Amino acid sequence: MKLHMIGCSHHNANVEVRERLAFTPEQARRAMLLLRENFPDMESVILSTCNRTELYTASVDATTFPSHHDIVDFLAQFHQLESEAIFDNVLERTGEDVVRHLFTVAASLDSMVVGEAQILSQVKQAYEMATDADCAGTLTHSIFQAAIHVAKRVHNETNIHQKRVSIPSVAVGEFASSIFDRFDDKKVLIIGAGEMGEETLNYLRDLGVHDFSVVNRNLERAEKLAVKFDAKAYPWTELIPQLVRADVVISTTGASEPIITYDQFQEVESKRFQKTLFILDLAIPRDFDPKIGSCVGVYLFSIDDLQKACEKNRKARELEWPKAEKIVEKETMRFMTDLHHRATGPTIKRLKQAADELKQDELRRLLNKLSDLDPKLQNEIERSFDRLVNKILHPPLESLRDDMESAAPGGLLDALKRLFRLYD
């Protein structure tokens, strides 16, 4: 059996490399079909996210498995790149390390934001796509189903997923949610068009928000962001009226001084009649005068407030890390033991059957010569034959077990089949 993974992630490759090796869903499907065409006995699953691209391959017959260079060449050719351009930017895992790595990835222990929930659904989608394309098989079915089980164990048995550590997730999940009971009736205003603001909008949309407005000094950029969220874009002159109607404000401009001073906010405050306003000031320098936070009904949080919460949550999550790692390690050992059993089980069964047939033939021949043998003595002879066979088989079977559990099995299983002529 052969398990192999080759790929890159935020740990070992910059964003430019990851972009060049990334697959769209349609490209992933086409690549797996090409792999099956080139290597008919090989199973494959492609996991491609914004932070990683990993090609998992497996085969029951290791003799027909492509080399590391073959797979790197395939990736390069598929993306119309030179192999040398990506060779140093991909990492390789084989055997048990593939299992441990996938379990770690699925459990979100290898993510840029440890504990984020999206990666498990991405692993499931990659596996389902390979299954639908008939590119998964016995080994990939086993390892991906086990990975999903491990991820659920880590989620249920640790608190590693319960502490938010990204600024947008903390902003919405902890700060905004502590102020509002529901979001489907809230009006959200975004000022500027920064990436962190856009990510925060994604969280709010997941909570049911559908009323978005965008104000930016550059109206064209505002319109471009508005399209993504089915929002309305407004020119900068509409900032004050939009602040008056908003329930949630996310500000991410690059201004060098506050865009709303305390005095300017008095005009907004007089028209809101103390209606609750939640402001996420994600800009550096800050967009809103800090004194605005003292106004009645206003909850103003700066990026420093959010970073402190993130750091506190990160430290709490680190305490859960050993527990999560222990689950991954235990499940890896369990999976490998089961895999070894499945690999060696049929051969061991045939070997024991062959030995038992020889034993029975010789025992029958001996007992036929010893007529009128005392039943107790006959039973003792049979037990002696059993012990002899077990003692003869014990050393090679122990060696086979040790070899299969080693990091790099040395081919004893195939040697055993050839020595005892156990091929089907």
Side-chain angles (χ1 to χ4, degrees), residues 160-218:
I160 208 158
H161 293 78
Q162 297 176 12
K163 297 294 184 180
R164 300 174 178 87
V165 294
S166 71
I167 285 174
S169 67
V170 166
V172 176
E174 297 189 21
F175 286 76
S177 295
S178 67
I179 295 167
F180 298 117
D181 293 329
R182 55 184 292 190
F183 289 87
D184 57 330
D185 61 344
K186 300 298 182 289
K187 300 175 182 65
V188 175
L189 168 65
I190 181 165
I191 308 171
E195 290 182 7
M196 197 178 298
E198 183 175 341
E199 187 179 344
T200 307
L201 289 183
N202 280 319
Y203 278 100
L204 288 167
R205 183 167 57 183
D206 289 344
L207 290 177
V209 174
H210 52 81
D211 188 336
F212 294 100
S213 301
V214 184
V215 172
N216 194 40
R217 293 187 191 276
N218 185 321

Short mmCIF file of all heavy atoms in Angstrom, two decimals, residues 160-218:
data_model
loop_
_atom_site.label_atom_id
_atom_site.label_comp_id
_atom_site.label_asym_id
_atom_site.label_seq_id
_atom_site.Cartn_x
_atom_site.Cartn_y
_atom_site.Cartn_z
N ILE A 160 -11.02 24.11 21.50
CA ILE A 160 -10.13 24.79 20.56
C ILE A 160 -10.90 25.56 19.49
O ILE A 160 -10.41 26.52 18.91
CB ILE A 160 -9.14 23.79 19.93
CG1 ILE A 160 -7.86 24.51 19.55
CG2 ILE A 160 -9.74 23.05 18.73
CD1 ILE A 160 -6.67 23.60 19.42
N HIS A 161 -12.16 25.14 19.21
CA HIS A 161 -12.96 25.84 18.21
C HIS A 161 -13.84 26.93 18.83
O HIS A 161 -14.46 27.70 18.10
CB HIS A 161 -13.88 24.84 17.48
CG HIS A 161 -13.15 23.87 16.62
ND1 HIS A 161 -12.49 22.77 17.12
CD2 HIS A 161 -12.95 23.83 15.28
CE1 HIS A 161 -11.94 22.10 16.13
NE2 HIS A 161 -12.20 22.72 15.01
N GLN A 162 -13.89 26.99 20.14
CA GLN A 162 -14.84 27.88 20.79
C GLN A 162 -14.29 29.28 21.03
O GLN A 162 -15.03 30.19 21.34
CB GLN A 162 -15.30 27.27 22.11
CG GLN A 162 -16.06 25.96 21.91
CD GLN A 162 -16.45 25.31 23.22
OE1 GLN A 162 -16.36 25.93 24.27
NE2 GLN A 162 -16.87 24.06 23.17
N LYS A 163 -12.99 29.45 20.90
CA LYS A 163 -12.38 30.74 21.12
C LYS A 163 -12.00 31.38 19.79
O LYS A 163 -11.16 30.87 19.06
CB LYS A 163 -11.12 30.60 22.00
CG LYS A 163 -11.40 30.07 23.40
CD LYS A 163 -12.23 31.06 24.20
CE LYS A 163 -12.45 30.59 25.63
NZ LYS A 163 -13.25 31.54 26.42
N ARG A 164 -12.61 32.50 19.45
CA ARG A 164 -12.33 33.17 18.19
C ARG A 164 -11.00 33.91 18.28
O ARG A 164 -10.73 34.57 19.28
CB ARG A 164 -13.46 34.14 17.86
CG ARG A 164 -14.81 33.45 17.72
CD ARG A 164 -15.93 34.48 17.54
NE ARG A 164 -17.22 33.82 17.37
CZ ARG A 164 -18.00 33.45 18.36
NH1 ARG A 164 -17.62 33.68 19.61
NH2 ARG A 164 -19.15 32.86 18.13
N VAL A 165 -10.20 33.84 17.23
CA VAL A 165 -8.88 34.46 17.29
C VAL A 165 -8.61 35.41 16.13
O VAL A 165 -7.55 36.01 16.07
CB VAL A 165 -7.76 33.40 17.35
CG1 VAL A 165 -7.81 32.63 18.64
CG2 VAL A 165 -7.81 32.48 16.16
N SER A 166 -9.53 35.55 15.17
CA SER A 166 -9.35 36.54 14.11
C SER A 166 -10.14 37.79 14.49
O SER A 166 -11.18 37.71 15.15
CB SER A 166 -9.83 36.02 12.76
OG SER A 166 -11.24 35.92 12.73
N ILE A 167 -9.63 38.94 14.10
CA ILE A 167 -10.28 40.20 14.47
C ILE A 167 -11.72 40.27 13.98
O ILE A 167 -12.63 40.62 14.76
CB ILE A 167 -9.44 41.39 13.96
CG1 ILE A 167 -8.21 41.54 14.87
CG2 ILE A 167 -10.25 42.68 13.93
CD1 ILE A 167 -7.22 42.58 14.42
N PRO A 168 -12.03 39.92 12.72
CA PRO A 168 -13.44 39.96 12.29
C PRO A 168 -14.34 39.00 13.07
O PRO A 168 -15.48 39.35 13.39
CB PRO A 168 -13.36 39.55 10.81
CG PRO A 168 -11.99 39.95 10.39
CD PRO A 168 -11.13 39.66 11.57
N SER A 169 -13.83 37.79 13.36
CA SER A 169 -14.67 36.83 14.08
C SER A 169 -14.93 37.28 15.51
O SER A 169 -16.03 37.09 16.05
CB SER A 169 -14.01 35.44 14.07
OG SER A 169 -12.82 35.42 14.82
N VAL A 170 -13.93 37.88 16.16
CA VAL A 170 -14.13 38.41 17.50
C VAL A 170 -15.09 39.59 17.46
O VAL A 170 -15.98 39.71 18.30
CB VAL A 170 -12.77 38.83 18.12
CG1 VAL A 170 -12.99 39.69 19.37
CG2 VAL A 170 -11.95 37.61 18.48
N ALA A 171 -14.91 40.45 16.47
CA ALA A 171 -15.75 41.65 16.36
C ALA A 171 -17.22 41.28 16.29
O ALA A 171 -18.06 41.88 16.98
CB ALA A 171 -15.34 42.44 15.12
N VAL A 172 -17.54 40.29 15.45
CA VAL A 172 -18.94 39.91 15.25
C VAL A 172 -19.39 38.90 16.30
O VAL A 172 -20.45 39.05 16.91
CB VAL A 172 -19.15 39.35 13.84
CG1 VAL A 172 -20.58 38.85 13.67
CG2 VAL A 172 -18.83 40.41 12.80
N GLY A 173 -18.59 37.87 16.49
CA GLY A 173 -19.01 36.76 17.34
C GLY A 173 -19.08 37.09 18.81
O GLY A 173 -19.88 36.50 19.53
N GLU A 174 -18.23 38.01 19.27
CA GLU A 174 -18.22 38.31 20.70
C GLU A 174 -18.74 39.71 21.01
O GLU A 174 -19.60 39.89 21.87
CB GLU A 174 -16.81 38.11 21.26
CG GLU A 174 -16.34 36.66 21.14
CD GLU A 174 -15.03 36.40 21.87
OE1 GLU A 174 -14.68 37.18 22.77
OE2 GLU A 174 -14.35 35.42 21.52
N PHE A 175 -18.22 40.71 20.31
CA PHE A 175 -18.61 42.08 20.64
C PHE A 175 -20.00 42.42 20.13
O PHE A 175 -20.87 42.84 20.90
CB PHE A 175 -17.57 43.06 20.07
CG PHE A 175 -16.28 43.07 20.83
CD1 PHE A 175 -15.37 42.05 20.70
CD2 PHE A 175 -15.98 44.10 21.70
CE1 PHE A 175 -14.17 42.04 21.41
CE2 PHE A 175 -14.79 44.13 22.42
CZ PHE A 175 -13.89 43.09 22.28
N ALA A 176 -20.23 42.25 18.82
CA ALA A 176 -21.54 42.60 18.26
C ALA A 176 -22.64 41.71 18.82
O ALA A 176 -23.75 42.18 19.13
CB ALA A 176 -21.50 42.49 16.74
N SER A 177 -22.36 40.42 18.97
CA SER A 177 -23.37 39.48 19.47
C SER A 177 -23.74 39.73 20.92
O SER A 177 -24.80 39.29 21.38
CB SER A 177 -22.88 38.03 19.28
OG SER A 177 -22.75 37.74 17.91
N SER A 178 -22.87 40.40 21.65
CA SER A 178 -23.19 40.71 23.05
C SER A 178 -24.10 41.94 23.15
O SER A 178 -24.68 42.20 24.20
CB SER A 178 -21.90 40.97 23.84
OG SER A 178 -21.26 42.16 23.38
N ILE A 179 -24.23 42.67 22.04
CA ILE A 179 -25.06 43.88 22.04
C ILE A 179 -26.41 43.64 21.38
O ILE A 179 -27.44 44.12 21.86
CB ILE A 179 -24.30 45.02 21.31
CG1 ILE A 179 -23.04 45.38 22.13
CG2 ILE A 179 -25.18 46.25 21.12
CD1 ILE A 179 -22.07 46.25 21.38
N PHE A 180 -26.41 42.88 20.29
CA PHE A 180 -27.65 42.62 19.55
C PHE A 180 -28.06 41.15 19.68
O PHE A 180 -27.23 40.25 19.57
CB PHE A 180 -27.48 42.96 18.07
CG PHE A 180 -27.18 44.40 17.81
CD1 PHE A 180 -25.98 44.78 17.22
CD2 PHE A 180 -28.10 45.39 18.14
CE1 PHE A 180 -25.69 46.11 16.96
CE2 PHE A 180 -27.82 46.73 17.88
CZ PHE A 180 -26.61 47.09 17.30
N ASP A 181 -29.35 40.92 19.88
CA ASP A 181 -29.89 39.55 19.95
C ASP A 181 -30.09 38.97 18.56
O ASP A 181 -30.06 37.75 18.38
CB ASP A 181 -31.22 39.53 20.70
CG ASP A 181 -31.06 39.87 22.17
OD1 ASP A 181 -29.98 39.54 22.72
OD2 ASP A 181 -31.98 40.46 22.75
N ARG A 182 -30.34 39.82 17.58
CA ARG A 182 -30.57 39.37 16.21
C ARG A 182 -29.94 40.37 15.24
O ARG A 182 -29.68 41.51 15.58
CB ARG A 182 -32.07 39.22 15.94
CG ARG A 182 -32.87 40.47 16.22
CD ARG A 182 -34.36 40.28 16.04
NE ARG A 182 -34.70 40.05 14.63
CZ ARG A 182 -35.96 40.04 14.20
NH1 ARG A 182 -36.98 40.22 15.06
NH2 ARG A 182 -36.22 39.84 12.91
N PHE A 183 -29.72 39.89 14.00
CA PHE A 183 -29.04 40.74 13.02
C PHE A 183 -29.82 40.87 11.70
O PHE A 183 -29.48 41.70 10.87
CB PHE A 183 -27.64 40.19 12.71
CG PHE A 183 -26.67 40.35 13.84
CD1 PHE A 183 -26.59 39.40 14.85
CD2 PHE A 183 -25.87 41.48 13.94
CE1 PHE A 183 -25.70 39.56 15.90
CE2 PHE A 183 -25.00 41.66 14.99
CZ PHE A 183 -24.91 40.69 15.97
N ASP A 184 -30.84 40.06 11.54
CA ASP A 184 -31.56 40.07 10.26
C ASP A 184 -32.32 41.38 10.03
O ASP A 184 -32.72 41.68 8.90
CB ASP A 184 -32.53 38.88 10.16
CG ASP A 184 -33.53 38.85 11.30
OD1 ASP A 184 -33.21 39.33 12.40
OD2 ASP A 184 -34.64 38.34 11.07
N ASP A 185 -32.51 42.18 11.08
CA ASP A 185 -33.22 43.46 10.94
C ASP A 185 -32.28 44.65 11.08
O ASP A 185 -32.73 45.80 11.19
CB ASP A 185 -34.34 43.56 11.99
CG ASP A 185 -33.80 43.50 13.42
OD1 ASP A 185 -32.64 43.08 13.61
OD2 ASP A 185 -34.55 43.87 14.35
N LYS A 186 -30.99 44.41 11.06
CA LYS A 186 -30.02 45.48 11.28
C LYS A 186 -29.52 46.07 9.96
O LYS A 186 -29.41 45.38 8.94
CB LYS A 186 -28.82 44.96 12.08
CG LYS A 186 -29.19 44.43 13.46
CD LYS A 186 -29.80 45.51 14.33
CE LYS A 186 -30.15 45.04 15.74
NZ LYS A 186 -31.29 44.12 15.77
N LYS A 187 -29.21 47.38 10.01
CA LYS A 187 -28.67 48.10 8.86
C LYS A 187 -27.17 48.28 9.09
O LYS A 187 -26.76 48.83 10.13
CB LYS A 187 -29.35 49.46 8.70
CG LYS A 187 -30.86 49.36 8.49
CD LYS A 187 -31.47 50.75 8.45
CE LYS A 187 -32.99 50.67 8.27
NZ LYS A 187 -33.64 50.03 9.44
N VAL A 188 -26.36 47.81 8.16
CA VAL A 188 -24.91 47.83 8.30
C VAL A 188 -24.31 48.82 7.32
O VAL A 188 -24.62 48.79 6.12
CB VAL A 188 -24.30 46.43 8.07
CG1 VAL A 188 -22.78 46.48 8.09
CG2 VAL A 188 -24.82 45.45 9.13
N LEU A 189 -23.45 49.69 7.82
CA LEU A 189 -22.72 50.65 7.00
C LEU A 189 -21.24 50.34 7.05
O LEU A 189 -20.67 50.19 8.14
CB LEU A 189 -22.96 52.08 7.51
CG LEU A 189 -22.05 53.17 6.94
CD1 LEU A 189 -22.30 53.35 5.43
CD2 LEU A 189 -22.24 54.49 7.68
N ILE A 190 -20.62 50.22 5.89
CA ILE A 190 -19.17 50.07 5.84
C ILE A 190 -18.59 51.33 5.23
O ILE A 190 -19.04 51.82 4.19
CB ILE A 190 -18.72 48.82 5.07
CG1 ILE A 190 -17.19 48.72 5.09
CG2 ILE A 190 -19.24 48.80 3.64
CD1 ILE A 190 -16.64 47.39 4.69
N ILE A 191 -17.57 51.87 5.91
CA ILE A 191 -16.89 53.08 5.46
C ILE A 191 -15.49 52.67 5.02
O ILE A 191 -14.71 52.13 5.82
CB ILE A 191 -16.82 54.13 6.58
CG1 ILE A 191 -18.21 54.37 7.17
CG2 ILE A 191 -16.22 55.43 6.06
CD1 ILE A 191 -18.18 55.24 8.44
N GLY A 192 -15.16 52.89 3.77
CA GLY A 192 -13.90 52.41 3.22
C GLY A 192 -14.13 51.06 2.56
O GLY A 192 -15.25 50.56 2.47
N ALA A 193 -13.03 50.46 2.09
CA ALA A 193 -13.17 49.18 1.37
C ALA A 193 -12.01 48.24 1.69
O ALA A 193 -11.49 47.55 0.83
CB ALA A 193 -13.24 49.44 -0.14
N GLY A 194 -11.61 48.20 2.97
CA GLY A 194 -10.50 47.35 3.38
C GLY A 194 -10.88 45.88 3.44
O GLY A 194 -12.06 45.53 3.58
N GLU A 195 -9.86 44.99 3.34
CA GLU A 195 -10.11 43.55 3.35
C GLU A 195 -10.71 43.09 4.67
O GLU A 195 -11.58 42.22 4.70
CB GLU A 195 -8.80 42.80 3.08
CG GLU A 195 -8.29 42.95 1.65
CD GLU A 195 -7.04 42.14 1.40
OE1 GLU A 195 -6.64 41.37 2.30
OE2 GLU A 195 -6.44 42.29 0.33
N MET A 196 -10.21 43.66 5.79
CA MET A 196 -10.73 43.22 7.09
C MET A 196 -12.20 43.60 7.24
O MET A 196 -13.00 42.84 7.80
CB MET A 196 -9.91 43.83 8.22
CG MET A 196 -10.10 43.13 9.55
SD MET A 196 -9.09 43.82 10.88
CE MET A 196 -7.45 43.50 10.24
N GLY A 197 -12.56 44.75 6.71
CA GLY A 197 -13.96 45.15 6.74
C GLY A 197 -14.82 44.22 5.92
O GLY A 197 -15.93 43.84 6.33
N GLU A 198 -14.31 43.81 4.76
CA GLU A 198 -15.06 42.89 3.90
C GLU A 198 -15.25 41.54 4.59
O GLU A 198 -16.33 40.94 4.52
CB GLU A 198 -14.32 42.70 2.58
CG GLU A 198 -15.06 41.83 1.59
CD GLU A 198 -14.37 41.76 0.24
OE1 GLU A 198 -13.55 42.64 -0.06
OE2 GLU A 198 -14.67 40.80 -0.51
N GLU A 199 -14.20 41.06 5.27
CA GLU A 199 -14.33 39.78 5.98
C GLU A 199 -15.35 39.89 7.11
O GLU A 199 -16.12 38.95 7.35
CB GLU A 199 -12.97 39.37 6.55
CG GLU A 199 -12.98 37.98 7.15
CD GLU A 199 -11.62 37.55 7.70
OE1 GLU A 199 -10.61 38.19 7.36
OE2 GLU A 199 -11.58 36.59 8.48
N THR A 200 -15.39 41.05 7.78
CA THR A 200 -16.37 41.26 8.83
C THR A 200 -17.79 41.24 8.26
O THR A 200 -18.72 40.67 8.87
CB THR A 200 -16.11 42.59 9.56
OG1 THR A 200 -14.75 42.65 9.99
CG2 THR A 200 -17.03 42.74 10.77
N LEU A 201 -17.95 41.82 7.08
CA LEU A 201 -19.25 41.80 6.42
C LEU A 201 -19.70 40.37 6.13
O LEU A 201 -20.89 40.05 6.23
CB LEU A 201 -19.20 42.59 5.11
CG LEU A 201 -19.10 44.11 5.22
CD1 LEU A 201 -19.14 44.74 3.83
CD2 LEU A 201 -20.22 44.69 6.08
N ASN A 202 -18.75 39.51 5.75
CA ASN A 202 -19.09 38.11 5.49
C ASN A 202 -19.67 37.45 6.73
O ASN A 202 -20.64 36.70 6.65
CB ASN A 202 -17.84 37.34 5.03
CG ASN A 202 -17.54 37.57 3.56
OD1 ASN A 202 -18.44 37.59 2.74
ND2 ASN A 202 -16.28 37.75 3.23
N TYR A 203 -19.08 37.73 7.91
CA TYR A 203 -19.60 37.16 9.15
C TYR A 203 -21.01 37.69 9.42
O TYR A 203 -21.90 36.94 9.83
CB TYR A 203 -18.69 37.53 10.32
CG TYR A 203 -17.47 36.65 10.46
CD1 TYR A 203 -16.23 37.07 10.00
CD2 TYR A 203 -17.56 35.40 11.07
CE1 TYR A 203 -15.11 36.27 10.13
CE2 TYR A 203 -16.45 34.60 11.21
CZ TYR A 203 -15.22 35.03 10.73
OH TYR A 203 -14.11 34.24 10.87
N LEU A 204 -21.21 38.97 9.19
CA LEU A 204 -22.53 39.55 9.44
C LEU A 204 -23.58 38.99 8.48
O LEU A 204 -24.72 38.73 8.87
CB LEU A 204 -22.46 41.07 9.30
CG LEU A 204 -21.72 41.80 10.43
CD1 LEU A 204 -21.42 43.24 10.04
CD2 LEU A 204 -22.54 41.75 11.72
N ARG A 205 -23.20 38.79 7.24
CA ARG A 205 -24.13 38.20 6.28
C ARG A 205 -24.53 36.80 6.71
O ARG A 205 -25.70 36.40 6.57
CB ARG A 205 -23.50 38.17 4.89
CG ARG A 205 -24.45 37.63 3.82
CD ARG A 205 -23.93 37.90 2.41
NE ARG A 205 -22.60 37.33 2.21
CZ ARG A 205 -21.89 37.47 1.09
NH1 ARG A 205 -22.38 38.20 0.09
NH2 ARG A 205 -20.71 36.93 0.96
N ASP A 206 -23.56 36.05 7.25
CA ASP A 206 -23.88 34.70 7.74
C ASP A 206 -24.88 34.73 8.90
O ASP A 206 -25.58 33.74 9.14
CB ASP A 206 -22.60 33.98 8.19
CG ASP A 206 -21.71 33.61 7.01
OD1 ASP A 206 -22.20 33.62 5.87
OD2 ASP A 206 -20.50 33.34 7.24
N LEU A 207 -24.93 35.86 9.60
CA LEU A 207 -25.87 35.99 10.72
C LEU A 207 -27.22 36.52 10.27
O LEU A 207 -28.10 36.75 11.09
CB LEU A 207 -25.28 36.92 11.79
CG LEU A 207 -24.09 36.36 12.58
CD1 LEU A 207 -23.55 37.41 13.54
CD2 LEU A 207 -24.47 35.10 13.35
N GLY A 208 -27.39 36.76 8.97
CA GLY A 208 -28.70 37.14 8.45
C GLY A 208 -28.85 38.57 7.99
O GLY A 208 -29.92 38.97 7.53
N VAL A 209 -27.78 39.38 8.10
CA VAL A 209 -27.87 40.77 7.65
C VAL A 209 -28.05 40.81 6.13
O VAL A 209 -27.37 40.09 5.40
CB VAL A 209 -26.60 41.56 8.04
CG1 VAL A 209 -26.66 42.97 7.44
CG2 VAL A 209 -26.48 41.65 9.56
N HIS A 210 -28.96 41.66 5.67
CA HIS A 210 -29.16 41.79 4.23
C HIS A 210 -29.23 43.26 3.79
O HIS A 210 -29.31 43.55 2.60
CB HIS A 210 -30.43 41.07 3.78
CG HIS A 210 -31.65 41.44 4.55
ND1 HIS A 210 -32.37 42.58 4.29
CD2 HIS A 210 -32.26 40.82 5.59
CE1 HIS A 210 -33.38 42.66 5.13
NE2 HIS A 210 -33.36 41.61 5.93
N ASP A 211 -29.18 44.16 4.77
CA ASP A 211 -29.24 45.60 4.46
C ASP A 211 -27.84 46.19 4.65
O ASP A 211 -27.44 46.54 5.75
CB ASP A 211 -30.25 46.28 5.38
CG ASP A 211 -30.51 47.74 4.98
OD1 ASP A 211 -29.63 48.35 4.34
OD2 ASP A 211 -31.58 48.26 5.32
N PHE A 212 -27.07 46.30 3.55
CA PHE A 212 -25.71 46.83 3.59
C PHE A 212 -25.62 48.12 2.79
O PHE A 212 -26.22 48.24 1.70
CB PHE A 212 -24.72 45.83 2.97
CG PHE A 212 -24.57 44.55 3.74
CD1 PHE A 212 -25.24 43.40 3.34
CD2 PHE A 212 -23.74 44.49 4.85
CE1 PHE A 212 -25.10 42.22 4.04
CE2 PHE A 212 -23.59 43.30 5.56
CZ PHE A 212 -24.27 42.16 5.16
N SER A 213 -24.84 49.08 3.30
CA SER A 213 -24.53 50.31 2.57
C SER A 213 -23.03 50.53 2.62
O SER A 213 -22.37 50.19 3.62
CB SER A 213 -25.24 51.51 3.21
OG SER A 213 -26.64 51.32 3.21
N VAL A 214 -22.48 51.10 1.55
CA VAL A 214 -21.05 51.35 1.46
C VAL A 214 -20.81 52.81 1.12
O VAL A 214 -21.40 53.35 0.16
CB VAL A 214 -20.37 50.48 0.38
CG1 VAL A 214 -18.86 50.71 0.39
CG2 VAL A 214 -20.69 49.01 0.59
N VAL A 215 -19.97 53.47 1.90
CA VAL A 215 -19.55 54.85 1.63
C VAL A 215 -18.04 54.86 1.50
O VAL A 215 -17.33 54.32 2.35
CB VAL A 215 -20.01 55.80 2.75
CG1 VAL A 215 -19.40 57.19 2.54
CG2 VAL A 215 -21.52 55.90 2.80
N ASN A 216 -17.56 55.47 0.43
CA ASN A 216 -16.12 55.55 0.22
C ASN A 216 -15.80 56.84 -0.54
O ASN A 216 -16.62 57.33 -1.31
CB ASN A 216 -15.64 54.32 -0.58
CG ASN A 216 -14.13 54.17 -0.53
OD1 ASN A 216 -13.52 54.38 0.51
ND2 ASN A 216 -13.53 53.82 -1.64
N ARG A 217 -14.60 57.37 -0.31
CA ARG A 217 -14.21 58.59 -1.03
C ARG A 217 -14.16 58.32 -2.53
O ARG A 217 -14.45 59.19 -3.34
CB ARG A 217 -12.84 59.07 -0.54
CG ARG A 217 -12.86 59.58 0.90
CD ARG A 217 -11.53 60.20 1.28
NE ARG A 217 -11.45 60.45 2.71
CZ ARG A 217 -11.94 61.53 3.31
NH1 ARG A 217 -12.56 62.46 2.59
NH2 ARG A 217 -11.82 61.69 4.62
N ASN A 218 -13.76 57.08 -2.88
CA ASN A 218 -13.76 56.67 -4.28
C ASN A 218 -15.04 55.88 -4.54
O ASN A 218 -15.17 54.73 -4.12
CB ASN A 218 -12.52 55.81 -4.56
CG ASN A 218 -12.39 55.42 -6.02
OD1 ASN A 218 -13.38 55.14 -6.68
ND2 ASN A 218 -11.16 55.42 -6.53
#
